[in-house]
Amino acid sequence: MTTVIRGGLVVDGTGAEGRVADVLIEDGTVAAIGRDLEVPAGAEVIEADGCWVTPGFIDLHTHYDAELEFDPALEESVRHGVTTVLIGSCGLSFAVGDPEDLADMFCRVEGVPRADVLPMLDRLKDWETPAEYLDHLDSLPLGPNVCSFLGHSAMRAAVMGLGRSLDDDVEPTPGELGRMVVMLDEALDAGYLGLSINTLPWDKMDGDRYRSRPTPSVFASWKEYRRLAAVLRARDAVFEGVPDISGRWNLIFFAGIASGIGRKPLRTTIISLMDVKAAPGSYKVFAGAYGLARRWLKADVRLQALPQAFRLWTDGLENPVLEEIGAGTEALHLAEQAARSDLLRDPSYRERFRKQWTNRFKGRAYHRDLSEARIVECPDPSVEGMTFAEVAAKRGSDPVDTFLDLAAEHGNHLRWTTTVGNTDDDAVAWIVENPQAQIGFSDAGAHLRNMAFYNFPLHLLRLVRRRRDQGRPVLPLGRAVHRVTGELADYLGIDAGRLQVGARADVVVIEPDALDDRVDEVVEASMPGIGSVRRLVNRGEGAVKAVLVNGRVAWDGGGRAEGFGAEPGYGRLLRSTRT
């Protein structure tokens, strides 16, 4: 199979600026890059005059673990130029463990229906070890390339038993910790990129056995984390962590565990760097502190970030940000809407909710400003388009009472939206330029009704183009492309992110004139394999002219190629080049 991409501005992912050239692709590999290349007989030609031609983008933070089993094409990422995705984030993965345990750990945290995931795992799971799981992924007709972390919660539950792994009074025995060390070492041998952990207590278990307890990784001590980190450090692997956003103090521990004083620094990546409305300007303190840790402690800590506004949608109370207060978890613990509505109407509960919701002293991720949260759908059309504060003013009631009243009356038929952070263009520009930042954190495949960041690389390129045209440049184009391609590939230790002769041909052709307001478009669409959900996705029609994975056209701007996601030959399982 031979393809020529002709006349585009080739930006190769090394950080170098672009040059107008043709790209010849043969048998899945970049065969030549140059001006006026001869077009072989029978070659497919993609005209790219005026377009940018880049390596396929890398998404370093997804939760596609479940969707890969339903529809391995992962079209919603690939259509925007993402050709490599990383799964196993936030301590969660399907690498090892009992199907029910895995579903209970994954589904509530990530907003994916347990009623669909558990039967799928019961039906398909025939792997027992992390290595066998990678072999399973390798057997799927993958759309993009896939690589993985080993999830600490899954490993901890498999070794200790789920009940013991969720008990704050139980530590792993020396033998159990030893088994975790061996399992991690063997996973790195098999090609995992590293280990992911979670210390955020408002990520909660699903199911009815241990419902509303934090996930297993939260119960681990830093002694346990340090023992596992020693394995990662010795193997030059990556340590991914979710900090306790509400407490913030454990951010210090991440710097300590990553420290390279008297030893090799540990590659550590955590979420997230954002200009949150709840704490304006704190992103500079956050990034600055880790910059100092890098200088003084030789701590290699990177902060995952998005180059766009962080907007959320919510059905009733179904959103993880509500779990940062105990009263939110108390309501979400009740799976039946009638029982939840009764609780929301209870005066003593409402007093607890109000006290926690308005507490200004405890750290928070969500600003809880009801004058900003806007209703987009409701059985009562008179409130649509209004904020909760506006509805409260109209009714002559308190905004918190109004919020609870509407949630109790309409349940998940009340849909509202809010923006958590990154609303200031200059703040986003500062973040994407910061050397501590890693551009990613899409959470693709999760929070299906809450958010859509599948096209985050296009937001970065639009920001670069817009600021250049305004005379306020943020990053050169070559550097911007490098941030979402070669830079991430080098950090993670994977063979991706370069558009060079001899490299695998994962390529994107971008129409820069279409990087406009269409990039912001979010719509609802059906999800293959999960018919009960209409998830939020991006569209941005016209921005991506073509996407090639392993030298084959996967997306041509009008739709996905025939056979894409159904037959092999596109994406591959990428194993670590270091471990």
Side-chain angles (χ1 to χ4, degrees):
M1 184 177 296
T2 302
T3 303
V4 176
I5 303 173
R6 192 158 60 183
L9 182 70
V10 176
V11 188
D12 64 13
T14 65
E17 285 305 292
R19 58 189 176 107
V20 176
D22 304 335
V23 179
L24 172 63
I25 297 167
E26 294 179 333
D27 298 325
T29 301
V30 178
I33 301 176
R35 296 297 299 268
D36 301 320
L37 296 179
E38 181 179 348
V39 178
E44 179 178 2
V45 177
I46 299 174
E47 298 292 350
D49 184 44
C51 295
W52 298 341
V53 182
T54 76
F57 305 127
I58 297 169
D59 191 340
L60 88 161
H61 190 122
T62 82
H63 291 283
Y64 272 135
D65 313 61
E67 190 170 335
L68 276 167
E69 309 298 338
F70 292 114
D71 181 22
L74 305 186
E75 178 188 319
E76 296 301 338
S77 284
V78 173
R79 68 184 291 153
H80 302 295
V82 174
T83 60
T84 300
V85 301
L86 175 55
I87 63 172
S89 300
C90 302
L92 304 171
S93 71
F94 293 162
V96 62
D98 173 79
E100 187 176 12
D101 294 352
L102 296 177
D104 286 356
M105 284 184 264
F106 185 84
C107 293
R108 179 167 166 183
V109 172
E110 302 307 337
V112 182
R114 182 178 183 273
D116 295 283
V117 172
L118 179 53
M120 175 272 291
L121 287 171
D122 279 333
R123 184 177 69 254
L124 296 179
K125 188 176 181 299
D126 60 358
W127 59 89
E128 297 296 331
T129 68
E132 290 173 352
Y133 177 60
L134 289 192
D135 291 341
H136 162 74
L137 293 177
D138 210 10
S139 72
L140 298 177
L142 299 174
N145 306 303
V146 175
C147 48
S148 185
F149 288 133
L150 178 63
H152 178 243
S153 282
M155 178 175 69
R156 194 171 203 264
V159 169
M160 298 177 63
L162 183 60
R164 294 182 70 248
S165 75
L166 296 172
D167 191 330
D168 208 19
D169 295 324
V170 174
E171 292 187 4
T173 66
E176 288 170 337
L177 185 54
R179 285 171 58 196
M180 285 190 244
V181 167
V182 169
M183 185 181 292
L184 176 57
D185 218 17
E186 290 177 347
L188 298 178
D189 286 340
Y192 285 79
L193 308 190
L195 179 75
S196 68
I197 72 164
N198 187 1
T199 68
L200 184 61
W202 46 272
D203 282 346
K204 298 295 196 293
M205 296 286 292
D206 208 336
D208 55 13
R209 299 173 299 162
Y210 303 101
R211 187 172 181 82
S212 297
R213 293 193 194 181
T215 55
S217 192
V218 174
F219 293 90
S221 66
W222 282 94
K223 176 182 177 182
E224 181 177 330
Y225 294 143
R226 286 194 297 270
R227 181 67 185 90
L228 297 171
V231 178
L232 301 172
R233 178 177 279 107
R235 304 289 296 272
D236 202 19
V238 180
F239 184 57
E240 189 220 51
V242 182
D244 182 355
I245 300 171
S246 58
R248 304 182 192 275
W249 288 109
N250 78 347
L251 296 171
I252 298 171
F253 291 99
F254 278 103
I257 208 167
S259 171
I261 295 178
R263 59 187 182 181
K264 183 192 301 183
L266 175 63
R267 296 175 188 269
T268 303
T269 176
I270 64 175
I271 60 171
S272 70
L273 186 61
M274 186 190 308
D275 180 26
V276 292
K277 295 182 72 172
S282 61
Y283 65 98
K284 291 187 177 181
V285 177
F286 194 18
Y290 277 122
L292 292 175
R294 191 169 189 173
R295 182 184 307 168
W296 295 340
L297 302 178
K298 300 180 181 178
D300 185 9
V301 181
R302 310 296 177 94
L303 307 168
Q304 298 174 21
L306 278 173
Q308 64 201 93
F310 200 95
R311 189 178 181 190
L312 298 176
W313 285 259
T314 304
D315 295 327
L317 302 180
E318 298 286 344
N319 195 312
V321 299
L322 271 296
E323 306 240 34
E324 70 175 347
I325 63 172
T329 294
E330 190 178 347
L332 289 169
H333 178 76
L334 301 173
E336 296 297 326
Q337 185 58 53
R340 188 181 296 179
S341 294
D342 287 343
L343 177 68
L344 298 185
R345 295 186 178 103
D346 179 78
S348 61
Y349 171 81
R350 294 167 79 97
E351 183 59 32
R352 288 195 302 278
F353 186 95
R354 178 193 308 281
K355 185 176 181 179
Q356 295 170 22
W357 183 267
T358 58
N359 187 330
R360 297 290 180 184
F361 299 101
K362 189 174 182 180
R364 60 172 69 180
Y366 176 42
H367 52 77
R368 306 173 200 163
D369 181 358
L370 293 174
S371 68
E372 189 272 348
R374 191 170 300 276
I375 300 164
V376 293
E377 291 179 23
C378 184
D380 176 2
S382 70
V383 302
E384 291 184 352
M386 301 174 68
T387 69
F388 289 105
E390 289 169 343
V391 176
K394 183 178 179 181
R395 294 181 174 184
S397 63
D398 177 81
V400 175
D401 285 333
T402 300
F403 174 66
L404 294 174
D405 287 342
L406 289 170
E409 182 178 358
H410 302 296
N412 288 355
H413 296 294
L414 170 70
R415 186 156 175 79
W416 52 282
T417 186
T418 184
T419 303
V420 174
N422 282 3
T423 57
D424 180 76
D425 195 71
D426 289 336
V428 176
W430 190 94
I431 287 169
V432 301
E433 284 187 312
N434 191 275
Q436 297 296 130
Q438 290 179 315
I439 310 304
F441 183 43
S442 79
D443 257 5
H447 309 296
L448 304 178
R449 295 283 296 159
N450 300 133
M451 61 193 195
F453 301 125
Y454 298 93
N455 66 346
F456 70 91
L458 302 183
H459 280 266
L460 175 64
L461 298 182
R462 183 183 65 171
L463 177 71
V464 167
R465 188 172 187 267
R466 183 179 68 233
R467 303 261 309 187
R468 181 200 65 191
D469 293 346
Q470 294 171 345
R472 302 186 301 151
V474 54
L475 287 173
L477 178 60
R479 174 66 178 131
V481 170
H482 179 242
R483 298 230 71 182
V484 288
T485 57
E487 179 182 292
L488 296 178
D490 292 345
Y491 182 86
L492 296 171
I494 54 175
D495 177 20
R498 295 284 194 277
L499 181 51
Q500 297 175 317
V501 173
R504 187 180 58 257
D506 300 329
V507 189
V508 187
V509 181
I510 298 166
E511 174 51 72
D513 288 340
L515 294 174
D516 52 28
D517 289 346
R518 286 172 285 180
V519 175
D520 295 318
E521 185 182 4
V522 176
V523 300
E524 292 186 11
S526 59
M527 179 174 177
I530 302 183
S532 62
V533 173
R534 288 189 62 78
R535 62 174 165 174
L536 297 183
V537 297
N538 305 113
R539 282 296 176 256
E541 304 290 355
V544 175
K545 184 173 183 178
V547 181
L548 288 80
V549 183
N550 195 28
R552 301 179 65 182
V553 175
W555 177 266
D556 67 2
R560 75 190 202 182
E562 185 178 352
F564 178 67
E567 61 186 43
Y570 290 93
R572 299 176 177 177
L573 177 75
L574 300 185
R575 302 178 193 262
S576 173
T577 61
R578 288 198 295 262
T579 61

